[in-house]
Amino acid sequence: MDPTIPASYGAIENGALGVTGGRITWLGKMQELPTYKSENIRDCESGWLTPGLVDCHTHLVFGGNRAREFEKRLQGVSYEQIAREGGGIVSTVKATRKINADDLLKDAALRLSGMTAQGVTTVEIKSGYGLDLENEIKMLEVAKDLAREENVRVSTTFLGAHALPPEYKGRADDYIDLVCKQMIPEIAKQNLANAVDGFCENIGFTPTQIRRVFEAAKKHGLPVKLHAEQLTDQGGAILAAEFNALSADHLEYVSEGGVRAMAKANTVAVLLPGAFYYLKETKKPPIDLLREHGVPMALATDCNPGSSPITSPLLILNMACTLFGFTPEEALAGMTREGAKALGLGDEIGTLEKGKNADLAIWPIDHPSELSYWLGRDYRPTRVIGGNIESVET
Ligand code: DI6
Ligand code: FE
């Protein structure tokens, strides 16, 4: 490390880390390392060891893609207009209902491999393209299967209140009934989701409808999170905070009142610069205000076929710096420590601390600012999950 740069990032220079039973049991200067059997020691070759990346907001599992819609948008048709004309999320719903679970898994695994190749050890995956019980369950099961196939931790989120399925056109309240009375109870019973999310927006659901979803989630012991204030200010952040949401996500149009409520409720702000970039949004989330109020700021890819077809967490770190004014240190914290909090896993993963899971990424870099700096660089960090070192192809 360049000695002229002060050690920040909470870094330990010439450090060592001990793992027992999948957890971090020792952390400190290499000279102070207790004696370990030499065959159990791994030399990280003067690279940097960080917590494994946590991508805390993705819609990774879906059928088809929306490249044609991308072409339309480039010709000037807006995201909202496409949604109102029956395209957008609903077109992915049609494709997701059609595809079988095996192919759904294959498609998603391909996208996930892009993320794990860049150091992701935990990924959140939302449902929300099935919009009926059978297909929402299909998506959540595929998401859970990915954890087994891809050596990654997966946290699943039920996003039944994502969009109105075509068969409920004009009957949004009836659909919300279905979400609250049938879907949430069944998904809770089968233990398929770690949290419940919704899309509170003029092209999504109203705060009144989302409130009902949150009440049903609460009744079944599931924490909530919310797509809030992405395109307009609906008061979603205030509603989320009222339910002690784990996170409110997007937040381009959040009010100061929303930020205050989030600070009070300890609700994490999940910022998604990929969607901001892709939709050519010009209104930025109020980063200074979030900082001022001490709201934790997480970052995620929001990987989805419409507004953020992105599988690169490192690109998101760069976008957070260039588009939102994050420091590279805040960006790395956003995709590790704060991302873990946004999933309610702050005690388990996200930092290098004694007692936490040994989920790590070992990077061939000279300084962690490089992670936000390069675009498209193929680092292939070695990942460690629960103390298991990934075998690296040579
Ligand atoms: N906001 C998003 O960014 C994604 N969902 C949402 O509510 C986009 C989903 C899509 O366009 O397919
Ligand atoms: Fe999203």
Side-chain angles (χ1 to χ4, degrees):
M1 187 175 161
D2 181 346
T4 61
I5 300 174
S8 51
Y9 295 78
I12 303 172
E13 288 171 63
N14 299 315
L17 183 139
V19 177
T20 319
R23 302 242 167 201
I24 299 171
T25 47
W26 194 90
L27 200 69
K29 288 268 188 204
M30 190 130 66
Q31 310 94 281
E32 291 155 24
L33 180 70
T35 23
Y36 275 82
K37 283 202 190 122
S38 60
E39 70 262 29
N40 289 340
I41 290 183
R42 180 173 171 120
D43 181 359
C44 296
E45 291 163 359
S46 58
W48 277 74
L49 209 151
T50 70
L53 300 187
V54 178
D55 192 347
C56 69
H57 177 143
T58 87
H59 309 249
L60 190 72
V61 172
F62 57 81
N65 70 64
R66 307 226 293 273
R68 300 298 302 279
E69 175 184 312
F70 173 58
E71 289 187 322
K72 253 195 193 172
R73 280 201 282 118
L74 291 172
Q75 286 160 10
V77 189
S78 78
Y79 182 71
E80 278 152 294
Q81 199 177 334
I82 287 169
R84 290 188 196 288
E85 286 164 5
I89 296 173
V90 167
S91 70
T92 299
V93 171
K94 287 181 189 146
T96 305
R97 285 177 174 179
K98 230 188 263 163
I99 192 172
N100 67 47
D102 286 347
D103 291 339
L104 197 56
L105 182 103
K106 257 186 236 153
D107 270 16
L110 206 60
R111 291 187 282 271
L112 181 57
S113 65
M115 295 173 173
T116 54
Q118 293 196 339
V120 168
T121 50
T122 296
V123 63
E124 183 257 17
I125 303 177
K126 300 175 194 299
S127 67
Y129 292 119
L131 307 187
D132 59 29
L133 185 59
E134 180 195 346
N135 284 292
E136 286 291 299
I137 288 178
K138 177 173 84 179
M139 288 186 72
L140 292 167
E141 284 176 345
V142 164
K144 283 182 169 281
D145 285 346
L146 280 168
R148 284 186 277 280
E149 304 235 336
E150 296 297 314
N151 192 26
V152 70
R153 292 185 205 273
V154 172
S155 182
T156 51
T157 301
F158 171 61
L159 178 55
H162 192 196
L164 193 61
E167 63 275 18
Y168 277 87
K169 200 162 183 226
R171 297 187 294 132
D173 286 326
D174 291 348
Y175 178 64
I176 292 295
D177 266 353
L178 179 76
V179 168
C180 298
K181 294 184 184 155
Q182 288 184 33
M183 293 188 181
I184 290 177
E186 187 58 28
I187 279 156
K189 191 171 126 204
Q190 292 192 35
N191 204 9
L192 282 172
N194 302 105
V196 170
D197 194 351
F199 188 26
C200 187
E201 193 51 72
N202 54 18
I203 54 165
F205 295 95
T206 65
T208 312
Q209 289 162 341
I210 295 293
R211 177 181 290 280
R212 289 181 54 209
V213 173
F214 282 1
E215 275 161 0
K218 197 169 146 190
K219 192 170 146 205
H220 289 86
L222 287 167
V224 299
K225 35 179 61 233
L226 189 63
H227 284 70
E229 274 77 89
Q230 179 185 8
L231 308 169
T232 55
D233 182 7
Q234 303 273 323
I238 293 175
L239 176 66
E242 187 190 322
F243 282 82
N244 289 312
L246 290 171
S247 69
D249 304 34
H250 287 286
L251 298 174
E252 278 81 348
Y253 289 84
V254 73
S255 65
E256 181 158 3
V259 172
R260 282 181 194 281
M262 287 174 66
K264 223 166 145 200
N266 228 345
T267 296
V268 176
V270 176
L271 303 170
L272 305 165
F276 171 91
Y277 162 81
Y278 227 88
L279 297 181
K280 297 191 197 169
E281 178 58 69
T282 50
K283 190 163 162 54
K284 299 181 189 192
I287 304 298
D288 286 338
L289 202 60
L290 290 164
R291 277 199 197 106
E292 214 177 281
H293 287 276
V295 177
M297 298 188 294
L299 293 171
T301 59
D302 193 15
C303 176
N304 77 67
S307 64
S308 191
I310 297 174
T311 59
S312 166
L314 297 185
L315 175 60
I316 297 299
L317 299 192
N318 175 270
M319 284 181 172
C321 296
T322 54
L323 301 176
F324 288 174
F326 272 53
T327 66
E329 184 173 353
E330 283 175 323
L332 182 57
M335 219 176 266
T336 51
R337 183 182 67 216
E338 313 299 19
K341 281 185 206 159
L343 299 177
L345 296 173
D347 293 335
E348 287 292 312
I349 54 169
T351 59
L352 305 184
E353 279 179 88
K354 261 202 219 167
K356 285 198 179 178
N357 281 299
D359 287 9
L360 321 167
I362 307 167
W363 306 88
I365 54 175
D366 294 322
H367 191 266
S369 52
E370 283 179 58
L371 299 179
S372 295
Y373 165 72
W374 291 108
L375 289 184
R377 185 152 174 177
D378 192 13
Y379 278 121
R380 308 239 158 210
T382 302
R383 296 179 316 135
V384 180
I385 297 187
N388 291 316
I389 302 175
E390 180 175 65
S391 57
V392 194
E393 293 153 41
T394 45

Short mmCIF file of all heavy atoms in Angstrom, two decimals, residues 57 59 126 227 250 272 302 304, ligand 2:
data_model
loop_
_atom_site.label_atom_id
_atom_site.label_comp_id
_atom_site.label_asym_id
_atom_site.label_seq_id
_atom_site.Cartn_x
_atom_site.Cartn_y
_atom_site.Cartn_z
N HIS A 57 -30.14 -5.99 -3.74
CA HIS A 57 -31.40 -5.71 -4.46
C HIS A 57 -31.24 -6.18 -5.90
O HIS A 57 -30.59 -5.51 -6.71
CB HIS A 57 -31.71 -4.20 -4.39
CG HIS A 57 -32.95 -3.77 -5.14
ND1 HIS A 57 -33.79 -2.78 -4.66
CD2 HIS A 57 -33.49 -4.15 -6.33
CE1 HIS A 57 -34.78 -2.59 -5.51
NE2 HIS A 57 -34.62 -3.40 -6.55
N HIS A 59 -33.37 -8.47 -9.25
CA HIS A 59 -34.50 -9.23 -9.80
C HIS A 59 -33.85 -10.23 -10.78
O HIS A 59 -34.11 -10.20 -11.97
CB HIS A 59 -35.46 -8.32 -10.56
CG HIS A 59 -35.91 -7.09 -9.80
ND1 HIS A 59 -37.19 -6.93 -9.36
CD2 HIS A 59 -35.25 -5.96 -9.43
CE1 HIS A 59 -37.32 -5.75 -8.75
NE2 HIS A 59 -36.15 -5.14 -8.78
N LYS A 126 -35.42 -11.14 -5.82
CA LYS A 126 -36.85 -10.89 -5.63
C LYS A 126 -37.67 -11.73 -6.61
O LYS A 126 -37.23 -11.98 -7.73
CB LYS A 126 -37.16 -9.41 -5.90
CG LYS A 126 -36.41 -8.46 -4.99
CD LYS A 126 -36.67 -7.02 -5.39
CE LYS A 126 -35.68 -6.06 -4.75
NZ LYS A 126 -35.71 -6.03 -3.29
N HIS A 227 -39.73 -0.56 -2.86
CA HIS A 227 -39.31 0.29 -3.98
C HIS A 227 -40.05 1.61 -3.78
O HIS A 227 -41.27 1.68 -4.00
CB HIS A 227 -39.75 -0.30 -5.31
CG HIS A 227 -38.94 -1.46 -5.79
ND1 HIS A 227 -38.96 -2.70 -5.19
CD2 HIS A 227 -38.08 -1.56 -6.84
CE1 HIS A 227 -38.15 -3.51 -5.85
NE2 HIS A 227 -37.60 -2.85 -6.85
N HIS A 250 -34.22 2.89 -4.15
CA HIS A 250 -34.26 3.88 -5.25
C HIS A 250 -34.15 5.30 -4.68
O HIS A 250 -33.10 5.89 -4.71
CB HIS A 250 -35.51 3.75 -6.14
CG HIS A 250 -35.50 2.58 -7.04
ND1 HIS A 250 -34.73 2.50 -8.16
CD2 HIS A 250 -36.19 1.41 -6.98
CE1 HIS A 250 -34.92 1.35 -8.76
NE2 HIS A 250 -35.81 0.67 -8.07
N LEU A 272 -29.61 2.80 -6.28
CA LEU A 272 -29.47 1.93 -7.44
C LEU A 272 -29.07 2.75 -8.67
O LEU A 272 -29.89 3.06 -9.54
CB LEU A 272 -30.82 1.21 -7.67
CG LEU A 272 -31.31 0.44 -6.41
CD1 LEU A 272 -32.77 0.04 -6.53
CD2 LEU A 272 -30.44 -0.79 -6.16
N ASP A 302 -29.61 -3.93 -8.81
CA ASP A 302 -31.01 -3.91 -9.26
C ASP A 302 -31.16 -4.73 -10.54
O ASP A 302 -32.05 -4.46 -11.36
CB ASP A 302 -31.50 -2.46 -9.49
CG ASP A 302 -33.01 -2.35 -9.65
OD1 ASP A 302 -33.73 -3.31 -9.31
OD2 ASP A 302 -33.49 -1.30 -10.13
N ASN A 304 -32.20 -6.35 -13.48
CA ASN A 304 -33.55 -6.67 -13.97
C ASN A 304 -33.59 -6.39 -15.46
O ASN A 304 -32.74 -5.67 -15.99
CB ASN A 304 -34.60 -5.86 -13.19
CG ASN A 304 -34.68 -4.41 -13.62
OD1 ASN A 304 -35.10 -4.10 -14.75
ND2 ASN A 304 -34.28 -3.49 -12.75
FE FE B 2 -35.87 -3.16 -8.22
#
